[in-house]
Amino acid sequence: MLIKKFLFLLVSIFFLSINLQANQVVNKAKELGVLLSGKYIDESMKNKLGKYVLPSRDWMKKYVNNDRAIFYREGGLFGDLDGNGKLDYITWGTGKPCQESQNSAEGRIGCSTINAYSLPFQVYSLDENLNFKKLNNKDLFDWGKSNDKGYPNGTSRIIIQDFNADGINDLFIPNASVELNDGKFNYKGVNPVLVSTGPFKWSASNHKGHLVDKKTKTFQGFSHGSDVGDIDNDGDLDVVTTDFTGVICHYNDGQGNFKAKKCITRKSGAFFVAAVGDFNNDGNLDIVSGNAHYNAEYRKHSPQGDVVKETKNSHYIAMYYGNGKGKFKQIHKLKPAKVGNFIFSEAPEMTAFDFDNDGDLDLVSSNVGMYYSGSAWVAYENINGKLELVDTNIILEPLDEWQDAKTWGSMVKSESNHPWNTYCSETLLIDVNNDGLMDLLCDNAVQHHRMTNTFLINQGNMQFDFVTSDQVNQWVDWLQ
C-alpha cells in the first residue's frame, strides 16, 4: 500500500512539474504578445518513458493521406479541443479537386475549383496514454451557410485559439486556395471560423467587412499568412491574415464573430506572410509581414517574366510597429539570406518567440528561392526592437549554376514538381531536448520528405542546428 501511494505521489509530482513548465512558457509568450495554442507541443505529450509522442511521416501517409477528402497532408496542430486541459490534435491537407484537375500559368499552379467538395480535415482526441482516436467530422461541425461555396481547399496553416473565452479552442481557417481556368486566376476561397459550442463541437460564426461574402458571412481573401493576438487591446483575440490587397486585421467581438479591415497597405505588392508579437516591448502588438525580399534580376528571368514588375517598393518583408488601436507604421525592412547572388527571397512561414531568453521576441523563418527553388531556415535576432539576420541553415543548396539568374530561369519553370522544392509550411515550438531553449519542428506535407518532421535545435545565442527525425529518437517516440 505504501509503495502504491509513493508511486502515485511520484506520478502526481511529475505531471505537476509538466504543467508548471508549460504554464511558464505560455505566460512568458503572452507577455510578449505571442499566443502559443496550437503551435506549442508541451510536456503533456510525453509518455511514461519521458519521450514526446508525435505523428511520424509514415503515420501521416497511412492515416491522413489515405483519407478520401485529402489529396495530400499539409500540416497539423495541437490544442485543447474539448476543454479538459489536455492537448488534442487536428491535421489537414489539400482537397481532392486539386488532384482531379490542375492547371498552370506563369509557372504557377491552380486547381479547377477554388473550394473543396469535402472537408479535408481530421480531428483526433488523445487519451491519457496518448492514443490518437480519429473523430467523425459529421459529429463535430455545424457549418450553417458558411460552406455553401464549399470547404477550404488550400489551407497551409490554421489558427487554434479560444475566441469566445469558454475554455475550448476554436478554429479560424485561413485559406490560400488558387483557382486557375482559361489562364485566369481566382483567389476568393472560403475562410470559415468555427466557434465551440461544447467539447469537440463547433458552429460557424459570422464575418463582416473587407472581402466578406454577405450571403455566407465568410471572409474570401487569399490568406497565405496568418497569426493571432489582441491587436486593439480590448481583451479578446483578433486575427491577422495576408492578402493581395494588404494585411487584414480581423477584429473579434468577444464571441468569435469577426470584422475584417485592411490595416496595412502599400501602393504596390501583395502580402503573403505574417508574424504577430510585441517586438519593441511597448505593450502593443506589432506585425512582421510582406510578400518577398527584393529579387528583380531573378524575377525577370522567371516564368512570370515581365508579368510582375518587381521594385524595391513592391517586394520586401518589413517590421511594422502597432499603436494598440489597429494602426501600424513601417519601421525597417528585413535582410534576406543569400548564397552569392542567389537570394532565399520567398518566406512561406514565420514564427516569433524569445529564442535566446533575453526578454524580447526573435523570429525564425522558412525561406526558399523564387518559385520554391532551394530552401533555408533563417533566424533573426531582436536588437533594440529591430530584426537582424544572424543564422542561416541551408536545407537544400542552390545549384552553383544558379548564380546566373538567366541559367536559373532556364531550369526552374514551375513553383512545384521540380527536384529543388522543399520548405516548411507550419513550424511548431517544442523543447525537444529538454534544455530550456525552445526548438522548432517542421510539420509539413508528406511529400516534402527533406523537411517533414525535421528540427532546428536551439544552441543558444540565436544559433540553430538542423537535424532530421531519426536524430531525435532519444527524445521522441514516433507514431507508426
Side-chain angles (χ1 to χ4, degrees):
M1 183 64 70
L2 289 175
I3 293 175
K4 288 184 177 180
K5 288 183 177 180
F6 179 69
L7 290 176
F8 177 78
L9 179 61
L10 286 180
V11 172
S12 298
I13 292 173
F14 172 72
F15 282 106
L16 178 61
S17 175
I18 286 176
N19 289 332
L20 288 174
Q21 291 177 32
N23 288 336
Q24 287 174 355
V25 173
V26 171
N27 290 335
K28 174 184 175 182
K30 281 184 178 179
E31 291 175 0
L32 296 171
V34 173
L35 281 301
L36 296 182
S37 180
K39 297 194 69 171
Y40 174 46
I41 303 174
D42 63 37
E43 294 193 358
S44 68
M45 288 302 299
K46 286 184 176 180
N47 59 20
K48 294 178 180 178
L49 299 176
K51 300 173 73 172
Y52 288 98
V53 177
L54 301 174
S56 68
R57 183 168 174 264
D58 287 338
W59 183 91
M60 297 171 191
K61 289 193 290 184
K62 181 178 180 180
Y63 293 104
V64 185
N65 272 29
N66 284 334
D67 191 304
R68 291 183 179 181
I70 297 174
F71 175 20
Y72 61 80
R73 179 188 184 276
E74 286 279 7
L77 292 174
F78 295 84
D80 183 2
L81 304 180
D82 58 358
N84 69 351
K86 298 180 181 178
L87 294 180
D88 304 293
Y89 185 65
I90 183 169
T91 184
W92 61 88
T94 301
K96 285 295 184 181
C98 225
Q99 182 183 29
E100 295 167 1
S101 178
Q102 289 186 341
N103 302 308
S104 180
E106 304 170 18
R108 298 160 60 212
I109 304 298
C111 305
S112 60
T113 305
I114 187 94
N115 294 320
Y117 309 130
S118 301
L119 179 65
F121 281 68
Q122 294 179 348
V123 177
Y124 291 81
S125 65
L126 275 64
D127 64 19
E128 62 274 10
N129 295 316
L130 301 179
N131 295 308
F132 285 58
K133 179 184 177 182
K134 182 183 173 182
L135 305 180
N136 189 335
N137 282 343
K138 292 182 180 179
D139 299 330
L140 305 179
F141 305 113
D142 176 7
W143 293 95
K145 294 183 178 180
S146 68
N147 69 334
D148 283 1
K149 294 188 176 182
Y151 300 96
N153 192 36
T155 302
S156 296
R157 55 200 62 85
I158 68 173
I159 294 173
I160 299 179
Q161 288 291 339
D162 187 3
F163 293 117
N164 62 352
D166 69 346
I168 300 175
N169 285 157
D170 311 307
L171 309 175
F172 191 113
I173 308 177
N175 190 357
S177 296
V178 179
E179 182 180 274
L180 175 58
N181 289 304
D182 299 325
K184 296 181 180 180
F185 291 95
N186 173 30
Y187 304 98
K188 293 184 178 181
V190 60
N191 290 239
V193 182
L194 294 156
V195 177
S196 59
T197 57
F200 294 116
K201 297 285 186 180
W202 295 274
S203 178
S205 67
N206 296 325
H207 235 111
K208 61 182 180 180
H210 184 60
L211 297 179
V212 169
D213 178 75
K214 292 182 179 180
K215 291 184 179 179
T216 60
K217 297 182 180 179
T218 54
F219 182 69
Q220 305 280 306
F222 181 73
S223 306
H224 189 278
S226 61
D227 209 344
V228 61
D230 186 3
I231 301 167
D232 51 5
N233 289 332
D234 66 350
D236 55 34
L237 299 180
D238 310 305
V239 170
V240 166
T241 62
T242 59
D243 185 72
F244 290 99
T245 65
V247 174
I248 315 301
C249 290
H250 304 261
Y251 296 102
N252 186 359
D253 68 355
Q255 302 299 315
N257 302 298
F258 289 87
K259 181 177 182 179
K261 183 179 180 181
K262 187 160 50 175
C263 54
I264 299 178
T265 188
R266 56 184 186 230
K267 292 182 179 180
S268 61
F271 289 81
F272 293 149
V273 67
V276 171
D278 183 8
F279 287 92
N280 61 349
N281 288 342
D282 68 348
N284 301 319
L285 289 188
D286 312 307
I287 298 175
V288 179
S289 188
N291 53 357
H293 298 287
Y294 178 63
N295 195 8
E297 183 65 19
Y298 283 73
R299 179 76 64 191
K300 182 173 66 176
H301 295 287
S302 76
Q304 285 182 317
D306 294 330
V307 174
V308 174
K309 304 294 184 181
E310 181 165 334
T311 71
K312 290 183 178 180
N313 292 322
S314 67
H315 284 70
Y316 58 88
I317 297 171
M319 168 75 76
Y320 298 84
Y321 285 171
N323 67 353
K325 299 178 181 179
K327 300 292 185 180
F328 296 89
K329 179 182 179 181
Q330 183 179 318
I331 301 302
H332 75 106
K333 298 178 182 178
L334 275 62
K335 291 184 178 179
K338 301 174 66 174
V339 176
N341 296 323
F342 184 86
I343 303 173
F344 293 102
S345 54
E346 325 291 308
E349 196 269 353
M350 288 180 168
T351 299
F353 190 76
D354 181 9
F355 291 105
D356 53 3
N357 292 335
D358 67 349
D360 55 30
L361 282 182
D362 311 298
L363 192 75
V364 171
S365 176
S366 174
N367 281 49
V368 294
M370 196 175 293
Y371 282 81
Y372 293 85
S373 55
S375 178
W377 244 340
V378 182
Y380 292 87
E381 183 177 4
N382 190 330
I383 307 294
N384 297 322
K386 296 184 178 181
L387 294 171
E388 181 177 319
L389 177 64
V390 293
D391 189 38
T392 301
N393 274 268
I394 296 177
I395 314 304
L396 193 57
E397 288 270 3
L399 303 182
D400 290 341
E401 49 265 50
W402 290 355
Q403 292 298 311
D404 178 73
K406 186 175 182 179
T407 301
W408 169 86
S410 70
M411 299 175 70
V412 179
K413 298 294 187 180
S414 171
E415 65 183 1
S416 64
N417 301 322
H418 60 69
W420 310 290
N421 183 324
T422 195
Y423 63 98
C424 190
S425 64
E426 182 78 67
T427 299
L428 306 184
L429 298 167
I430 178 173
D431 182 9
V432 69
N433 58 356
N434 310 301
D435 65 352
L437 295 170
M438 192 63 75
D439 310 305
L440 300 104
L441 163 65
C442 178
D443 188 272
N444 211 20
V446 170
Q447 282 77 357
H448 289 289
H449 61 90
R450 299 181 183 92
M451 288 290 285
T452 306
N453 282 349
T454 57
F455 291 80
L456 277 187
I457 303 298
N458 192 342
Q459 301 298 328
N461 297 320
M462 291 303 296
Q463 299 298 301
F464 298 84
D465 289 340
F466 175 78
V467 302
T468 59
S469 58
D470 58 355
Q471 293 176 297
V472 298
N473 288 338
Q474 69 269 41
W475 304 306
V476 177
D477 270 343
W478 295 106
L479 291 175
Q480 299 302 319

